[in-house]
Amino acid sequence: MLDYNKAFIEVQFPVSRISKESYKERKAGVSQTLTGLGKWWGRKPLVMVRAALLGILMPVSYDYSKDREIFLKIMTMDEEGLWLRKHKNISKKKLWQVTTEEEKEKYFREGSTAKNPKYPLGMDRKDKKTMKKKLQKLAFNRLSYDDKLSYCRRPEEVELIDKSEWEIINEHLETNASNLQELIQELGKKRFGHIPKVGDCFAGGGSIPFEAARMGAEVFGSDLNPIASLLTWASLNIDGASDKEVKELKEFQQKVYNKVDEQIKEWGIEYNEEGHRADAYLYCNEVVCPECGQHVPLLPSLRIDSKNRVGLKLIKNKNKYDFEIIKELSKKEYRNIDENATINNYKLFCPNCNKKTPIPSIRGDNDDGKKRKYRYNTPNDLRHWDKDEFINKNKDIYNERLYAIRYNKDNGTRYYSAPSKKDKINEEKIINLLHDRIIKWQKEGYIPKAKIKNGWNTNQLIYERGWTHWNHLYNPRQLLYHGMIMKNAINAQNSLKELVTSLLGINSAADWNSRLSIWNPGNQNIQATYTNQALNTLFNYGVRGITKLKTNWLVDINNSLIKSKRKVELKDAREINEYNDIWLTDPPYADAIHYHELTELFLSWDQKWIKTEFPEWYTDSKRVLAVKGTGQSFNKSMIEIYKNLSNNMPDNGYQVVMFTHQDVKVWSELTMILWSAGLKVASAWNISTETNSGGLKEGNYVKGTVLLVLQKQTSDDFAFQDEVYDEIKIEVRNMIDSMKGIDYKDIPDFTDADYLLASYAAALKVLTGYGEIDGIDIDYWLSGDRNEESPVEKLIKKARDVANSYLIPEEFEKNHWFELSNAERFFIRGLELEMNNEHTIGAYQELAKGFGVKEYKTMFHNFEANNVRLKTPSEYKMSYLENEFNEKEFSGSLLRHLLVAVLESAKNDSTNSGRTYLKGVFNQSQDYWYKKPLMREILTFISKIEMVDHMEHWHEEAKYAKLLREALKNEGV
């Protein structure tokens, strides 16, 4: 019996597998489906969008396990689906490792070894192929889910067409589908009476509308930001184009590139005296040393090529320095080369007078020592550039020098050269070519002319360089190349898709080829402007030759033909009047990313053409309207937006809000925002969506995304807070019980973080289920920044405490668990976190809060940001003194004495020592025999650590915990 009044995602969600699939998609980097279209920050993984939408449309049955099986089958995350997605062969060595001795005899040649396994001789080709496939499947099925993924394509890269699989799906869901698109449309009709309509008013890079459309839903995407709407339109109409259209678009891109390449060859501006062509140019700023008057190039590093140990040397020439490329440096020489760098810690080091001068002093900052605090509001002596300028003037504080060029010989080898006479002539020629064109090109929209507005990110450009317009971020060579590309693209385009492809291409070039593009000597390449979420000025940078720029211009289109209806608008979310069954949104929060400022760089290149081809769109970043900040203004905007979305969906519709979980306060504010918007919480799930990368700061950072599932609030019931708290306790316990009931023991889907998150969701479900709760004035708590805890925050914290108390490790009987003190339960649950490879401070701090344990740091061997771990028995002090711990509950506890007993047993290689110690402690109070069952449960739990690979520091003592448990068990028998 299927229940369409409840969705699969309300009851369960395989967070572990979806997290792993999301991680795999993130690790694909530039190979992700939409990444090639252009830069956007915080795109959500397509697999998570797919899972969320399927989870909403799928009904529930009386058999939750079967529901889960069908969900995973549709997502190709079950055994058959993973085998379908497998596209890499498992190596012979790996096959040898996972087979039994009997299987080794069957599948490998006699004399094979782990280092050199060989297949049998004398088999014909067909039989050998069959045998290999059988062995591959046998081995593949024995791998963990994580290991299997390394051999698999992503779910989006395969299509489930197996009739037998669809028969199983259709039988359970009472459908008649043969592919995902048909299934989604059938499920939509069963739930809403028509093909499901999915909307996203914060479309950003287009992940949500794109994946929903690819699944077969009708979609609506909108954003306040023109670049976001352009990317969303491109995802649906270019990545969603037919094979024929994609082929034609790629031919168009190549045609434009060829035209530009021919012109550059004709000008000869990339060739040296030997006729070799350059593909990379390295530039640096130069200043006059205020101490000695020497012109000094600003070079934070003299490294050019780390692989071949190529560096730079400064040669004094009167009041300037010339450059010399030095090759084949020794490892020591290359390692120490930056000792001669001319800038360090934002200070000039003059190699002529050996004096150090802070850059702000050279720049002429006038801030009375308060530069750091008022950095972007204080004057300095930098000249502000005019609109059509592209180089510094001789008397400017900063000037610019070309210091190295990478050339390619005809045989493909590369080498670096300091600027020659011909190179300098080429530079002058480029300046003259651009000078003759810049005003006309700005007027015609081929290169930017827009002014840089003051802002959080943009002030730095004005203050640190004097740049006032977006074209100032590009040097003459960059502007000439980009302008030529746009001129030829505009003249050659014959359709809207060709024009948008041109804009995507020039935006990519603008990101990867600017004065903010770092030269990376490690990989000998030029990095993007947006290596992080900021516009960082540089003292030296790299410029791409046209052959390197080609990879940026030729936008990577990963076509996935989209046939369903789609609509893209550029509109404030408060003004949307599009009716959708499901709203999936990833809203901005707390100024994490200043989208409105960062995208103005791209908008400066695109604005004329957006206005021409999308006349109903505006070409302003709408900074004033952007949802940003925190406090009253942010809360008001969010309420207005989500109330509008609620008004534009049916009573049985759903919303999924994606946001990054930080703390209970965030949850409480979001609860009140959504509550005020007329929404109630149905469920919440935590998905790990971020990879460990340079973009994440070390520390207690968050790598998960919360999917908050919402429905319309139709109740006007009233409740008192104490009644609500009683309901929360029941709801938390019920939710944890249901999660444990569907948790696979061999592949645990839920960690402590998930259970705690579920407790927050339980609180939200209860709170938002009422029209009004006594003593909670939502308007008051959302009307400003308040230091005190709101009643909602207090109730959510209580829900967390209930969860912490209720989460009992399977080794413990319920009554025995509650005999332990809060500190003991904290230590045991902390070990559970460590066993699950959780090492972030935040996880343990949340756990401590839940148990009310304040002095817990003495329990830890390491308490660094992402390297947290508890002490082993041998790492505690040997004195066993009561004052060893700040946490008094723990110092004389049963658990603490058991740790000592384990240590004694290990130290003396005898469980008699451990038992003697325990009897000495507990016989005094006649508690020894009474406490033995609980002792055995604790020791059973600790003994599990012996099998945890990443906790090797516990293995020896975990072994003795097991031996001591057996000794206690057999004692007196």
Side-chain angles (χ1 to χ4, degrees):
M1 185 74 177
L2 297 176
D3 181 4
Y4 274 94
N5 292 316
K6 184 165 280 190
F8 176 85
I9 200 170
E10 291 181 64
V11 177
Q12 57 175 311
F13 206 52
V15 294
S16 176
R17 294 194 181 191
I18 294 167
S19 294
K20 289 167 183 175
E21 298 284 358
S22 296
Y23 181 83
K24 179 179 176 64
E25 186 176 328
R26 279 281 190 255
K27 289 291 282 183
V30 294
S31 297
Q32 294 176 74
T33 299
L34 295 182
T35 304
L37 292 180
K39 180 67 181 178
W40 195 259
W41 301 262
R43 273 191 181 101
K44 289 297 178 276
L46 298 175
V47 70
M48 186 174 74
V49 177
R50 178 176 292 201
L53 184 54
L54 176 61
I56 290 171
L57 291 171
M58 235 185 84
V60 296
S61 72
Y62 62 88
D63 187 345
Y64 285 1
S65 294
K66 186 67 176 179
D67 290 345
R68 178 193 176 92
E69 176 192 322
I70 296 300
F71 179 90
L72 293 174
K73 192 174 289 297
I74 297 167
M75 291 293 297
T76 63
M77 292 181 187
D78 65 336
E79 293 302 314
E80 291 303 315
L82 288 164
W83 180 248
L84 170 68
R85 289 161 52 192
K86 181 179 176 290
H87 73 116
K88 292 180 184 176
N89 278 330
I90 303 169
S91 69
K92 277 195 286 186
K93 288 183 178 179
K94 183 69 174 178
L95 293 171
W96 178 272
Q97 289 174 14
V98 299
T99 48
T100 64
E101 289 303 317
E102 186 179 341
E103 288 164 345
K104 286 182 175 68
E105 290 179 13
K106 181 178 179 181
Y107 293 109
F108 293 97
R109 192 187 312 172
E110 188 177 349
S112 290
T113 62
K115 288 186 178 180
N116 188 23
K118 295 179 180 179
Y119 293 127
L121 293 171
M123 297 180 71
D124 64 38
R125 192 171 182 179
K126 185 178 178 182
D127 289 344
K128 194 170 188 178
K129 187 177 180 181
T130 303
M131 183 272 291
K132 284 183 179 179
K133 186 176 180 179
K134 188 175 180 181
L135 180 56
Q136 285 282 326
K137 189 159 190 178
L138 181 149
F140 186 72
N141 288 338
R142 288 179 183 168
L143 298 177
S144 68
Y145 196 88
D146 300 71
D147 288 337
K148 285 175 181 173
L149 286 185
S150 64
Y151 298 97
C152 291
R153 294 185 177 91
R154 303 193 298 272
E156 60 175 300
E157 295 177 299
V158 301
E159 186 177 359
L160 182 61
I161 55 174
D162 188 313
K163 289 184 179 179
S164 61
E165 292 291 279
W166 279 107
E167 283 174 6
I168 297 169
I169 294 167
N170 289 325
E171 183 181 358
H172 183 72
L173 295 177
E174 299 172 4
T175 51
N176 187 31
S178 60
N179 56 51
L180 180 62
Q181 292 74 26
E182 290 177 2
L183 178 70
I184 293 301
Q185 293 178 3
E186 280 197 53
L187 292 176
K189 289 174 183 176
K190 286 175 178 287
R191 188 175 288 276
F192 302 114
H194 52 254
I195 293 171
K197 297 177 180 179
V198 179
D200 178 10
C201 64
F202 297 110
S207 294
I208 293 170
F210 172 78
E211 189 60 19
R214 191 162 60 164
M215 293 173 71
E218 295 180 5
V219 299
F220 169 80
S222 70
D223 203 287
L224 181 69
N225 190 296
I227 299 301
S229 289
L230 185 71
L231 285 170
T232 300
W233 190 95
S235 71
L236 293 168
N237 295 282
I238 293 177
D239 261 12
S242 67
D243 290 344
K244 181 175 180 291
E245 287 178 306
V246 169
K247 184 184 176 196
E248 290 170 351
L249 288 172
K250 289 183 176 180
E251 288 172 353
F252 163 77
Q253 290 177 299
Q254 188 65 48
K255 177 182 170 184
V256 172
Y257 171 78
N258 291 342
K259 192 96 173 180
V260 175
D261 185 42
E262 286 168 13
Q263 181 63 76
I264 289 173
K265 286 177 182 176
E266 184 182 323
W267 283 333
I269 52 177
E270 288 190 340
Y271 294 92
N272 62 11
E273 292 86 345
E274 287 78 28
H276 299 153
R277 192 173 190 181
D279 69 357
Y281 300 82
L282 309 187
Y283 293 82
C284 68
N285 288 122
E286 184 177 75
V287 297
V288 176
C289 174
E291 300 292 338
C292 67
Q294 184 78 10
H295 288 74
V296 183
L298 296 178
L299 290 161
S301 173
L302 299 179
R303 298 180 181 188
I304 290 179
D305 182 338
S306 298
K307 181 181 178 182
N308 299 299
R309 297 197 293 278
V310 178
L312 187 71
K313 186 177 181 181
L314 300 182
I315 308 295
K316 189 176 178 184
N317 182 5
K318 297 180 181 178
N319 70 332
K320 286 197 170 187
Y321 284 94
D322 291 332
F323 305 106
E324 180 185 335
I325 302 295
I326 45 178
K327 306 169 187 175
E328 298 177 357
L329 290 163
S330 69
K331 289 183 180 179
K332 184 178 180 181
E333 286 173 329
Y334 192 77
R335 187 169 57 247
N336 297 330
I337 194 171
D338 281 347
E339 291 177 359
N340 297 317
T342 59
I343 189 163
N344 191 17
N345 292 328
Y346 222 60
K347 292 179 181 178
L348 166 70
F349 177 79
C350 178
N352 184 57
C353 65
N354 292 329
K355 297 285 181 66
K356 294 180 181 178
T357 309
I359 292 298
S361 176
I362 294 172
R363 202 164 52 208
D365 291 3
N366 178 22
D367 56 14
D368 300 322
K370 297 179 181 178
K371 173 181 171 294
R372 287 187 180 277
K373 188 173 181 182
Y374 304 105
R375 180 174 182 179
Y376 303 125
N377 299 319
T378 54
N380 56 33
D381 296 334
L382 283 179
R383 180 182 65 84
H384 283 196
W385 291 26
D386 292 331
K387 180 178 71 174
D388 57 353
E389 285 188 272
F390 49 85
I391 55 173
N392 294 92
K393 293 182 178 179
N394 287 335
K395 292 186 178 180
D396 282 352
I397 290 170
Y398 290 113
N399 264 284
E400 219 165 59
R401 299 275 306 275
L402 173 65
Y403 68 88
I405 306 148
R406 184 171 68 193
Y407 279 104
N408 295 272
K409 292 182 180 180
D410 294 338
N411 63 6
T413 58
R414 292 172 167 180
Y415 65 94
Y416 297 89
S417 170
S420 66
K421 185 177 179 180
K422 177 72 161 54
D423 294 321
K424 292 173 184 176
I425 291 171
N426 285 342
E427 291 294 296
E428 286 299 320
K429 188 172 183 179
I430 286 168
I431 289 171
N432 292 332
L433 286 166
L434 182 61
H435 182 271
D436 294 343
R437 291 164 172 76
I438 187 166
I439 293 175
K440 184 181 179 182
W441 279 6
Q442 284 185 321
K443 184 178 179 181
E444 292 178 345
Y446 302 146
I447 58 175
K449 62 179 180 180
K451 193 172 184 179
I452 298 171
K453 298 177 184 177
N454 290 325
W456 179 266
N457 291 290
T458 51
N459 278 345
Q460 188 172 353
L461 304 172
I462 304 166
Y463 183 83
E464 294 183 356
R465 287 294 185 273
W467 297 333
T468 57
H469 291 72
W470 286 106
N471 55 292
H472 298 155
L473 271 67
Y474 303 89
N475 85 351
R477 187 180 291 273
Q478 291 167 330
L479 284 174
L480 183 66
Y481 288 9
H482 295 183
M484 288 165 63
I485 289 171
M486 277 304 286
K487 180 176 183 292
N488 282 281
I490 295 302
N491 291 338
Q493 60 88 22
N494 288 307
S495 69
L496 180 56
K497 288 182 181 178
E498 286 182 348
L499 176 78
V500 172
T501 301
S502 300
L503 297 183
L504 299 177
I506 201 64
N507 288 352
S508 175
D511 183 25
W512 286 89
N513 195 39
S514 80
R515 280 181 161 126
L516 309 188
S517 296
I518 296 169
W519 170 256
N520 186 335
N523 62 12
Q524 304 88 54
N525 216 336
I526 297 159
Q527 295 181 194
T529 296
Y530 288 120
T531 52
N532 57 16
Q533 298 155 10
L535 290 159
N536 301 305
T537 59
L538 304 173
F539 293 113
N540 66 315
Y541 63 93
V543 172
R544 292 170 177 255
I546 195 64
T547 54
K548 288 291 290 180
L549 198 57
K550 179 181 180 181
T551 58
N552 307 118
W553 164 249
L554 299 179
V555 176
D556 187 17
I557 304 171
N558 296 299
N559 61 303
S560 304
L561 181 60
I562 290 173
K563 297 179 181 178
S564 56
K565 291 182 182 178
R566 64 264 201 194
K567 182 178 180 181
V568 179
E569 285 189 352
L570 179 63
K571 188 173 276 190
D572 186 338
R574 285 160 280 214
E575 297 177 0
I576 287 169
N577 54 10
E578 197 76 20
Y579 202 80
N580 287 290
D581 305 307
I582 301 165
W583 287 97
L584 295 177
T585 55
D586 177 19
Y589 197 79
D591 285 348
I593 302 173
H594 295 260
Y595 297 99
H596 46 286
E597 290 183 19
L598 297 176
T599 54
E600 285 172 357
L601 180 148
F602 301 128
L603 199 54
S604 70
W605 291 92
D606 301 348
Q607 54 189 12
K608 177 175 179 176
W609 311 109
I610 289 177
K611 192 66 180 173
T612 302
E613 298 299 330
F614 296 91
E616 70 279 13
W617 289 13
Y618 47 80
T619 55
D620 182 79
S621 63
K622 298 291 183 184
R623 288 189 181 192
V624 175
L625 293 175
V627 179
K628 53 185 183 289
T630 55
Q632 185 175 359
S633 174
F634 173 80
N635 294 337
K636 183 174 182 290
S637 298
M638 290 285 280
I639 291 169
E640 288 174 354
I641 288 168
Y642 281 98
K643 189 171 284 185
N644 185 38
L645 298 187
S646 181
N647 291 335
N648 280 288
M649 75 180 209
D651 290 343
N652 67 334
Y654 284 87
Q655 290 195 39
V656 173
V657 177
M658 302 177 183
F659 73 104
T660 302
H661 168 59
Q662 294 177 328
D663 56 30
V664 172
K665 186 173 178 62
V666 172
W667 273 87
S668 65
E669 287 186 356
L670 193 64
T671 302
M672 291 185 282
I673 287 168
L674 298 173
W675 198 1
S676 294
L679 296 163
K680 66 178 181 181
V681 176
S683 62
W685 308 98
N686 190 22
I687 309 297
S688 296
T689 55
E690 303 303 325
T691 59
N692 291 315
S693 68
L696 290 171
K697 295 179 180 178
E698 286 298 312
N700 186 23
Y701 53 73
V702 177
K703 294 192 291 181
T705 294
V706 173
L707 302 185
L708 197 60
V709 183
L710 306 158
Q711 293 176 294
K712 278 189 175 182
Q713 165 60 268
T714 55
S715 170
D716 50 8
D717 291 349
F718 174 87
F720 292 98
Q721 285 189 47
D722 55 348
E723 294 174 328
V724 170
Y725 175 56
D726 288 339
E727 283 189 53
I728 287 173
K729 283 195 290 186
I730 295 168
E731 186 65 34
V732 169
R733 289 169 182 167
N734 288 343
M735 188 167 284
I736 290 173
D737 285 342
S738 69
M739 289 170 75
K740 284 187 171 181
I742 58 177
D743 196 353
Y744 281 1
K745 296 301 177 187
D746 58 332
I747 310 174
D749 264 350
F750 303 120
T751 64
D752 262 40
D754 298 308
Y755 287 119
L756 288 182
L757 191 63
S759 73
Y760 299 160
L764 267 62
K765 279 181 72 174
V766 174
L767 288 165
T768 57
Y770 286 99
E772 184 183 353
I773 296 174
D774 181 54
I776 300 180
D777 185 344
I778 297 176
D779 293 338
Y780 170 79
W781 289 106
L782 291 179
S783 63
D785 295 319
R786 308 193 183 280
N787 294 325
E788 55 187 318
E789 281 186 347
S790 71
V792 172
E793 190 174 348
K794 289 176 181 176
L795 285 167
I796 293 173
K797 283 186 174 180
K798 285 181 178 179
R800 177 197 63 198
D801 297 345
V802 171
N804 273 322
S805 296
Y806 194 67
L807 285 170
I808 304 171
E810 61 183 15
E811 290 77 16
F812 292 86
E813 288 187 12
K814 187 174 180 180
N815 292 338
H816 288 163
W817 176 249
F818 288 107
E819 285 181 32
L820 296 171
S821 67
N822 283 341
E824 288 175 294
R825 282 185 276 162
F826 166 73
F827 188 91
I828 290 168
R829 292 283 311 289
L831 277 179
E832 251 188 343
L833 287 180
E834 198 175 331
M835 289 160 73
N836 287 325
N837 228 347
E838 177 60 74
H839 301 286
T840 55
I841 283 178
Y844 294 86
Q845 288 174 331
E846 283 296 305
L847 199 61
K849 287 176 189 175
F851 284 114
V853 178
K854 295 179 180 178
E855 303 293 338
Y856 52 83
K857 289 186 181 179
T858 48
M859 299 182 185
F860 289 86
H861 176 73
N862 199 333
F863 207 67
E864 295 173 2
N866 294 304
N867 197 26
V868 175
R869 79 164 177 85
L870 290 151
K871 287 177 179 175
T872 64
S874 59
E875 287 167 344
Y876 284 114
K877 290 180 180 178
M878 301 297 292
S879 61
Y880 316 144
L881 296 176
E882 291 288 320
N883 62 1
E884 179 188 343
F885 298 97
N886 294 327
E887 183 50 62
K888 292 179 181 177
E889 265 193 1
F890 193 67
S891 59
S893 67
L894 171 62
L895 174 55
R896 176 63 188 107
H897 288 302
L898 276 174
L899 293 177
V900 175
V902 169
L903 176 61
E904 288 292 319
S905 298
K907 189 171 62 173
N908 298 302
D909 192 21
S910 171
T911 58
N912 286 334
S913 301
R915 286 190 297 128
T916 299
Y917 171 79
L918 291 172
K919 286 179 179 178
V921 172
F922 292 107
N923 268 348
Q924 299 167 12
S925 58
Q926 302 299 311
D927 275 350
Y928 179 71
W929 297 99
Y930 169 73
K931 290 185 178 291
K932 271 181 64 176
L934 180 52
M935 289 183 195
R936 291 202 302 269
E937 288 173 4
I938 294 172
L939 292 170
T940 298
F941 175 82
I942 293 172
S943 67
K944 285 200 311 184
I945 305 175
E946 189 181 4
M947 307 306 293
V948 180
D949 290 341
H950 63 269
M951 293 180 71
E952 194 174 345
H953 51 285
W954 266 93
H955 285 183
E956 182 69 11
E957 286 158 322
K959 180 182 77 173
Y960 278 96
K962 180 170 64 178
L963 295 173
L964 183 58
R965 178 199 64 193
E966 293 304 308
L968 292 177
K969 181 179 177 182
N970 295 326
E971 191 176 45
V973 177

